[in-house]
Amino acid sequence: MDQSHTRRGQPCWYKTKDVGLVAINDAFFLENAVYSLIKSHFSGQPCYVKILELFHEVTMQTITGQCLDMVSSRPDEPLDFTRFTSQRYDSIVKYKTAYYSFYLPVALAMYLKTSAWSQLTTPFSWRTPSTALSNLTLAASHAM
């Protein structure tokens, strides 16, 4: 998608011999496999719809972050540092990696632990995973 040669130190899948643009189709297979797994393991759970919504939300935020990153630096154009600002960098980090790396696993765990979730008593108003994670992030930033 962004014409990188490596991803996290490993060669990109599309660069593998005989893969090329088939990697796009492979991405669709992988994304749909996630939803098939969610359905097969959680369709009977009260939090099933919340889990589906969570994965859709995080997918959209990750796509947004990837788009921000791609429009900030185009491989076919000379590097233009005017496209880079602190605000844009923060948005890229937030949307491209923070949601699936931190928010998704914590929110998923909270949804899966519904009974314990409803019994939480904290100094914060933790009614949703989103609010809880915002409060955790705020508390962590003050602790540093």
Side-chain angles (χ1 to χ4, degrees):
M1 159 182 319
D2 58 12
Q3 299 179 352
S4 293
H5 295 282
T6 60
R7 183 90 52 223
R8 292 180 174 78
Q10 299 296 318
C12 288
W13 177 241
Y14 82 96
K15 288 290 191 180
T16 304
K17 185 179 182 330
D18 298 327
V19 174
L21 292 178
V22 172
I24 295 168
N25 198 55
D26 292 345
F28 290 131
F29 273 124
L30 288 172
E31 183 179 5
N32 280 284
V34 168
Y35 293 105
S36 293
L37 287 169
I38 291 170
K39 182 179 180 182
S40 67
H41 292 282
F42 301 109
S43 62
Q45 300 296 320
C47 58
Y48 176 60
V49 172
K50 287 285 191 187
I51 291 171
L52 286 176
E53 290 172 349
L54 175 65
F55 273 83
H56 284 295
E57 172 191 1
V58 170
T59 299
M60 184 62 178
Q61 289 163 334
T62 305
I63 291 167
T64 301
Q66 181 65 39
C67 182
L68 283 169
D69 191 19
M70 287 173 38
V71 299
S72 297
S73 60
R74 298 199 169 147
D76 56 333
E77 296 177 4
L79 194 56
D80 180 3
F81 287 105
T82 62
R83 292 182 180 156
F84 294 97
T85 64
S86 306
Q87 184 180 5
R88 177 160 286 188
Y89 174 78
D90 290 345
S91 293
I92 291 169
V93 169
K94 176 181 176 181
Y95 289 104
K96 189 174 175 183
T97 56
Y99 278 99
Y100 76 81
S101 298
F102 179 71
Y103 174 72
L104 175 65
V106 174
L108 182 59
M110 290 174 159
Y111 284 138
L112 291 173
K113 196 63 178 168
T114 306
S115 61
W117 176 252
S118 63
Q119 298 172 13
L120 278 179
T121 56
T122 67
F124 300 110
S125 174
W126 289 9
R127 300 288 182 239
T128 66
S130 177
T131 305
L133 292 174
S134 295
N135 288 329
L136 284 172
T137 303
L138 182 63
S141 67
H142 288 296
M144 296 180 146

